[in-house]
Structure formats: C-alpha cells, structure tokens
Amino acid sequence: MGSIRPRRRLLGALAATAAAFAFFSSATTTAGADGASATVARATTTHTAAADAAQPLSTSTPVVFVHGYTGNASNWTTAMAVFRANGWASSNLFAYEYNSYGNNITNAQGLASYVNTVKARTGASKVAIVNHSMGGLVSQYYLKVLGGNTSVSHLASIAGANHGTTYAGACLIYVTCQQMYPGSSFISQISSGDETPGTTRYATWYSACDGIIIPYTSTRLDGATNNNVACQTHLGYLTDTVVLGQIARFFAS
C-alpha cells in the first residue's frame, strides 16, 4: 500500500480491501430470502432489427455462466437447477472460472477459449451466456472486442458492472478493480460505440437495491432489453429463482 501512523494507514487500507472482498464475494448463504419476492418490470428498451432477426434458441443450446469478482462455479448452483427445471440437460450447463485479481483482458481471452471448448464438446454453433457483476466486463470484452458475438446467441447480464462501479475503489490494488472503476480505459473500450454488437440478443437485470453496482444503472446496455427489478441485492440475484427463470425463458424464446 516505521512509525505508528504509517502502520495505521496500512491497516486501514487492508480493512478497506477486506470489506470489498466481503461485499463482492459471491457467497450465497443468506441471499435466497431476498430473491423469492423479487418482481420485475421490463424497461422500454427494444431490440435492434438485427437482434430480433436472430434464430430462436431451444433448451439444447449450451449455457455458459460467468461469475463475478471473487466468485466461482459454485455461485451458479441455483441457476443451474432452474435451467434444468426449464428443460436444459446438465451436460449443456457450464461454469467458466477466471482469476479475479488478474486482468480482465486475459479473463476474456480465457472465456473465448472456454466457449470454443464448449462448442466443440457439444457440437453447438453458438452458446448463451449468463454473467454476474464483474463477469459483465469479461463477457462484454469477449463479445465486443474479441468478436465473440458471432458465437453467442443470447447474453443475460445480472447486476453486471458493465459501465463500472465506484465500489471498486475499495480494491484498486488489483488490476481487475482498476478496470472496473467508472471511466477506466477498459470501460471506455467496451462502452464506446455499439454496446450490443452483432445479432446476439442482449438483456440485463438491475435494481436500485443492489448496493454494490454504483450507480445501479451501470448494468444497462444500449440496445438491450433492460429489466428493472423492484428490489434485489447484489448477491440475492444468485438465488433469485424468479429472475433466473426469466433468463431461462429468454434463452429458450
């Protein structure tokens, strides 16, 4: 990030970083109670003509889940159960894991390789992607900068940090948090021009009760169907069977 005063500064910095880990971590121990009562009002944003012309998917389409900062595959246990209940086979549900403290460009490149592996394994020409929190940055870089939109038919961003969050100021010792801070060169790269490229169908879910994505409207993408959830916490989405069910139906539409 001697004397007694520098040590106090160091302890304060470490405490702030620890607080960021606690809030960004995708543990789901108490989030379920928030999700059960979530209601969603669809925003007026409409798809582009190209997106509407995309071929509809079925439940045979592989789904790739992309976790948030400090998250892992276990964050998607409830989501995968909801998708199975909506007709997906377990063999078509995949969770991509990446380094939360590294570089989101590298993480996006890893996602590109992972999607190619999923396509080869399943024989599918495209996948659908669900992301949460910082997973939005990883996904957007893949689809927009790396041209991954040609391999993705649907993308759902749940509380994605798509335009950054000021909460990332608590962990700026890591490059991923620097990239996640509003106004970063990384954010500028994925938000300039067309935010929803290609024929991919995009949708987002965001809420004023989020508490971590600040401002909460950061999740919205121009050209996407942006769904304003009445009140849901940042981690509560991970066990919100209402929102997760809507995403499953969006993918199968």
Side-chain angles (χ1 to χ4, degrees), residues 14 38 83 110 125 137 149 169 179:
L14 291 174
F83 271 75
S125 60
L137 301 188
N149 62 83
Q179 293 169 330

Side-chain angles (χ1 to χ4, degrees), residues 40 42 45-48 51-52 54-59 61 63 82-83 86 88 127-131 143 152-158 196 199-205 221 223-227 241-253:
V40 177
R42 174 161 293 186
T45 305
T46 59
H47 294 300
T48 63
D52 285 331
Q55 291 297 315
L57 295 178
S58 70
T59 56
T61 302
V63 178
V82 169
F83 271 75
N86 278 272
W88 267 265
V127 304
I129 289 179
V130 184
N131 67 57
L143 267 74
V152 180
S153 287
H154 285 57
L155 180 135
S157 186
I158 311 172
T196 53
T199 58
T200 303
R201 296 182 61 189
Y202 297 79
T204 73
W205 281 257
L221 292 171
T225 298
N226 296 297
N227 299 287
T241 56
V242 174
V243 168
L244 295 171
Q246 290 172 349
I247 293 171
R249 290 187 291 275
F250 168 62
F251 284 176
S253 64

